[in-house]
Amino acid sequence: MASEPSYIDYEAFLDPSFSPASFANSLVVATNNATDTPLDLSTPLSRVLFDLQEIDTHIHTLTTKSALPLLTHTRDQTTAAGKILTQADGQIAAVSQGYERLEREVLRKWEAAEEARVATVNSLATVRLARGVARCVALGRQLDGQMVEVTGRGGLGGGEGTASPSPTGRDDTRALERAASTIVSLRRLLSDTAAGEEGYSLDRVKVVRTIKSELLIPAENLVKARAQQAINRFSITSTSNGSASTQSNYKQARDARARLVSGVNVLYLLSPLPPKQQAGQASFTPSLLLSALQSYIQTTITASLNNLSRSLTMLPTLDRTLPEISARCQDIFALEAILSTIRPPTHPSLPEPQSQTQEKENQNLLNPLLTALDTSSLPSYFWRSLASSLSPRVQEILQRGGVSARTLRSNKDKLKREIRECVLRGSQATISIGVGSGEKREAQEERKNWEREAAVMVGSVVGSL
């Protein structure tokens, strides 16, 4: 049927770009002369009507011949669609029933489980917070009791940083260390504020904020002040002077050593920690302890410098000043001997050394001080620092002239001898230090090494003469 010849150009009509206006214009132009003023539209209209009649006849012929196949195809399609619809209705019903069952057995149970999960999470957070608050309160009560031992009176005694010792006169140095350990534990608890850590959200609890502001901070300041005071007042030689017995001197020296050890341990524990990502035994520097020890040494050097400078202007007082300077150096010597025997206390916020190198570096508390001062010996540092500061003082005395300058020049040999004896006497360990006989022999064997410090001291005074 499609192959029957036809003068109608079906391809032109089926072309997607077919334009009725262009087709009509082409018919009018084809059936009329362009010079004619009145256009004859009957001819192109007849052509269009004839084409429509031909197309209608062609459609009628095709539908008449193919009516039975078309109806059969339509019936088959309708039957197939009905079957598909029936099957689809069954599947849709099954899916709907399955969804209802899932909603009933899963979704509603999940909603109930989600509510239970949220309640459990909140309960767990509450329990963790309660445990943190309970531990904080327990540490606070423990610290308050320890501060009673330290101050000898109820609580912190108004929070004074330099509270006086207990009325009984008992200076419990171990109480300071226990209080410092509790302060470190409490401070660590309050600093672990990340999610999941023990101190998370503790700062939102009023009682914790009260413990921190009214107990922890004043207690830390007081313990620091007591520890720094123990270091600043350390003296071994002063306990050996006077008419007291040897046993009494030994007891006083032992107490002075105990106070120093306690102060050193306390300041080590209370020194600021490095950032968490760099925390480690090897990277930890006890800045608070080193600052106190350096301050003690610098104060000793300054006092010795002032006394010796004053004595050089009034030479008769030199016989009393040089033994005092020797005694101060013996205190420095005793400080070095004691620090060399003190191992770093166990810090709850620092890991244990992981290697022998780290353990060797941290075997005592003298090494960090020597590293900070860039010296190999504290007595050597004392004499060399004193000599470097003394030389300008001597030159100033000589520039002023007068009786003091003439007296110095006339007693040049005496100054050499007495200053040398002062250095050698000050660089020896006293009996009350408590070092072993082997260390005494080692100090005697190194006597020749102190000759260099003696020469430096003598040169700082006599060199300008």
Side-chain angles (χ1 to χ4, degrees):
M1 292 181 294
S3 62
E4 293 180 0
S6 176
Y7 70 92
I8 298 176
D9 188 5
Y10 288 104
E11 294 182 357
F13 287 105
L14 296 175
D15 189 358
S17 62
F18 173 78
S19 173
S22 299
F23 180 74
N25 182 62
S26 63
L27 287 178
V28 172
V29 172
T31 57
N32 288 275
N33 192 351
T35 59
D36 293 341
T37 301
L39 295 175
D40 183 12
L41 298 180
S42 60
T43 302
L45 180 59
S46 299
R47 170 71 181 275
V48 172
L49 292 175
F50 184 79
D51 289 346
L52 290 175
Q53 185 178 3
E54 180 67 18
I55 293 173
D56 181 69
T57 302
H58 187 62
I59 293 173
H60 180 73
T61 303
L62 289 175
T63 53
T64 301
K65 292 180 179 180
S66 304
L68 184 59
L70 289 174
L71 291 175
T72 302
H73 179 71
T74 303
R75 183 191 62 194
D76 295 341
Q77 293 293 325
T78 303
T79 303
K83 293 180 179 180
I84 292 174
L85 182 59
T86 303
Q87 295 293 330
D89 289 340
Q91 296 294 330
I92 292 174
V95 171
S96 299
Q97 293 177 358
Y99 177 76
E100 292 176 357
R101 186 177 69 256
L102 289 175
E103 183 180 12
R104 183 174 60 256
E105 297 181 357
V106 177
L107 184 59
R108 294 176 184 174
K109 291 183 178 180
W110 177 85
E111 291 176 352
E114 179 66 14
E115 294 178 358
R117 185 191 67 83
V118 173
T120 302
V121 170
N122 293 337
S123 300
L124 179 60
T126 304
V127 170
R128 287 179 176 175
L129 182 61
R131 287 178 179 174
V133 173
R135 184 163 183 263
C136 184
V137 171
L139 289 175
R141 295 179 62 181
Q142 178 178 329
L143 178 61
D144 187 56
Q146 291 167 346
M147 296 311 297
V148 172
E149 297 180 13
V150 172
T151 60
R153 53 178 180 246
L156 293 176
E160 295 293 336
T162 56
S164 59
S166 61
T168 61
R170 180 175 58 89
D171 188 10
D172 189 359
T173 57
R174 300 295 298 176
L176 274 180
E177 296 186 41
R178 291 193 295 269
S181 180
T182 304
I183 289 172
V184 171
S185 299
L186 191 55
R187 189 169 63 183
R188 180 185 181 185
L189 174 63
L190 296 178
S191 63
D192 292 340
T193 57
E197 294 184 342
E198 190 176 10
Y200 180 67
S201 297
L202 280 181
D203 54 345
R204 298 166 56 187
V205 181
K206 183 178 180 181
V207 66
V208 175
R209 296 197 300 268
T210 302
I211 290 174
K212 182 177 180 180
S213 61
E214 298 183 6
L215 177 61
L216 177 61
I217 295 177
E220 185 172 358
N221 292 335
L222 189 145
V223 171
K224 283 181 183 178
R226 286 289 183 87
Q228 291 170 347
Q229 186 181 77
I231 292 178
N232 293 334
R233 294 183 177 180
F234 171 71
S235 177
I236 291 292
T237 55
S238 61
T239 63
S240 301
N241 297 330
S243 58
S245 64
T246 303
Q247 183 177 1
S248 176
N249 288 339
Y250 177 76
K251 182 179 182 300
Q252 293 175 2
R254 184 185 59 188
D255 293 341
R257 176 192 176 100
R259 287 191 294 270
L260 174 66
V261 173
S262 175
V264 167
N265 289 334
V266 167
L267 294 182
Y268 180 91
L269 291 174
L270 297 183
S271 295
L273 294 175
K276 288 186 177 181
Q277 62 271 18
Q278 300 176 357
Q281 189 80 7
S283 61
F284 174 61
T285 300
S287 57
L288 197 61
L289 171 60
L290 296 181
S291 176
L293 293 174
Q294 289 174 336
S295 176
Y296 171 78
I297 295 174
Q298 192 59 44
T299 300
T300 304
I301 294 174
T302 302
S304 300
L305 176 64
N306 294 334
N307 292 345
L308 186 55
S309 299
R310 186 166 51 251
S311 295
L312 290 177
T313 59
M314 296 180 293
L315 207 57
T317 63
L318 187 64
D319 293 339
R320 185 174 66 253
T321 301
L322 290 180
E324 293 177 356
I325 296 177
S326 297
R328 291 194 180 100
C329 183
Q330 288 178 348
D331 289 337
I332 298 293
F333 195 101
L335 176 66
E336 181 181 64
I338 294 173
L339 289 177
S340 64
T341 62
I342 302 177
R343 295 181 60 86
T346 302
H347 202 297
S349 299
L350 293 177
E352 292 295 330
Q354 299 297 324
S355 62
Q356 295 181 353
T357 302
Q358 292 182 4
E359 187 174 1
K360 184 177 180 180
E361 291 176 354
N362 299 289
Q363 61 184 355
N364 60 58
L365 292 178
L366 177 62
N367 292 335
L369 180 60
L370 296 178
T371 302
L373 296 176
D374 192 19
T375 184
S376 59
S377 170
L378 294 184
S380 176
Y381 178 83
F382 172 82
W383 291 121
R384 291 178 183 273
S385 299
L386 181 60
S388 63
S389 301
L390 184 62
S391 182
R393 299 285 184 96
V394 176
Q395 293 177 2
E396 183 180 350
I397 295 173
L398 296 178
Q399 289 174 0
R400 287 200 305 263
V403 177
S404 299
R406 291 194 300 271
T407 304
L408 287 178
R409 290 191 175 94
S410 62
N411 292 273
K412 181 177 179 181
D413 294 334
K414 179 182 178 182
L415 286 174
K416 285 183 180 181
R417 182 178 64 258
E418 293 184 352
I419 291 176
R420 179 178 178 276
E421 292 177 355
C422 173
V423 173
L424 297 180
R425 182 173 58 250
S427 302
Q428 297 177 9
T430 61
I431 298 176
S432 56
I433 291 179
V435 297
S437 58
E439 293 174 341
K440 291 181 182 178
R441 287 195 300 271
E442 184 179 353
Q444 293 175 359
E445 292 174 358
E446 292 182 355
R447 180 183 179 90
K448 59 181 181 299
N449 294 333
W450 301 116
E451 292 289 349
R452 292 194 294 268
E453 277 65 28
V456 171
M457 279 295 297
V458 170
S460 66
V461 177
V462 181
S464 301
L465 302 179

